[in-house]
Amino acid sequence: MTATHTPGPWEHRGTDGGAEVICHREAAGKRRTLAHVYQESRHGRQEANARLIAAAPDLLAACIEAREALFNLSRHAKDADCFSPGHDDEHVCTTCTLKMAIAKATEGGDR
């Protein structure tokens, strides 16, 4: 059984003790901490990584909508999974790329 993620929106709330904080605002307005993002060596990517993580629910929703829109626009699709059945590992269609990203976010692993 696949667990579902905490629903969005998620927020980047700045720093707390040297870590960037990702929060979820509950219906009652209370914030719950989801994650702390710590410094990645000396590259200064901590805040950028925190913003990307906070955007994850919105990005997942956008990928799902884009995949559905691409499928609905295509008149040549042979099935719901791919518009280019002849592609290989180096040439993957946009729909399959979206499908793999959605699967990675919802099912885990590198698909």
Side-chain angles (χ1 to χ4, degrees):
M1 179 178 193
T2 302
T4 59
H5 64 79
T6 302
W10 295 357
E11 303 173 346
H12 170 227
R13 296 295 301 162
T15 60
D16 178 24
E20 300 291 324
V21 180
I22 310 299
C23 295
H24 164 68
R25 186 183 298 265
E26 295 180 337
K30 184 175 181 175
R31 286 189 180 98
R32 299 262 184 199
T33 299
L34 294 173
H36 290 95
V37 179
Y38 293 92
Q39 182 69 26
E40 177 198 348
S41 64
R42 294 176 277 139
H43 299 304
R45 297 179 181 149
Q46 179 178 354
E47 185 178 344
N49 289 342
R51 287 192 311 267
L52 180 61
I53 293 167
D58 299 321
L59 293 169
L60 176 59
C63 285
I64 292 169
E65 286 182 29
R67 183 173 180 268
E68 290 173 4
L70 284 171
F71 179 73
N72 290 333
L73 288 173
S74 175
R75 295 183 182 167
H76 304 291
K78 293 187 177 188
D79 58 50
D81 292 329
C82 181
F83 297 157
S84 304
H87 70 268
D88 54 34
D89 289 340
E90 293 182 29
H91 303 92
V92 180
C93 71
T94 302
T95 304
C96 290
T97 302
L98 288 167
K99 178 184 177 186
M100 289 183 285
I102 293 164
K104 186 174 182 178
T106 60
E107 300 168 13
D110 292 323
R111 301 189 194 284

